[in-house]
Amino acid sequence: MTTVAERTGIPVPRPGRFAALVVVATPALREAVAHTLRALGARHVLEVSSVAEARLRAAAGVADLVIAEAGLPDGSGIALVRELRAAGWVRGIVLTTSDDPYSVRAAISAGVRAYIVSTGNGPTPVRSGETRGEGVDSLSAREIQVLQLVADGKSNKDIGEELGLSALTVKSHLARIARKLGTGDRAEMVVTAMRAGVVA
């Protein structure tokens, strides 16, 4: 998965102090996202598969984070995020298989925190007892710079150009980040770093 756009300046809750609503039609992806959130310390995660179910669950109160698939069986995940943000939800993330720039613009204008393009099976679930690597505290200043640019939706080539590094060096940094965070999935690396407040 790759983050292609992200809003900045929105505070990130401390690990273990956030609740989330996952609105994803595909059961495997929904479960993977929910597992990842729980592993990152979410105190409460609700899983639903449609806009209608999400509205019913959301009526019970406001939570910190909604993660919605852009195309749901009964409507738009982007519109749902806009609706929940207007109702007081703090953050919104959209998952999609398309990096269409008009969809990205619509998501950002809806108050989406991050727009993530899924190119495969989604984040790798994290089960209790699994080793997660050395953690975000072990990241170097350069690795944090690279990770921030990944969060900004930059490709390896773009990161190299911005930091004056070769593509091979960027790839090496990402491999070290993956080892330290215990995942090679770009989106999961970004989410882990966001939860820890390492990247904005």
Side-chain angles (χ1 to χ4, degrees), residues 107-124:
I108 296 301
S109 69
V112 165
R113 178 74 174 94
Y115 188 95
I116 300 175
V117 177
S118 171
T119 56
N121 297 322
T124 304

Side-chain angles (χ1 to χ4, degrees), residues 2-3 146-147 149-151 153-175 177 184 186 189:
T2 304
T3 305
V146 170
L147 198 49
L149 292 171
V150 170
K154 304 282 187 185
S155 67
N156 287 5
K157 181 182 176 187
D158 294 336
I159 294 169
E161 288 173 0
E162 188 152 334
L163 298 179
L165 304 172
S166 70
L168 186 59
T169 302
V170 172
K171 193 172 179 181
S172 295
H173 281 307
L174 288 169
I177 293 167
R186 288 170 82 100
M189 286 191 290

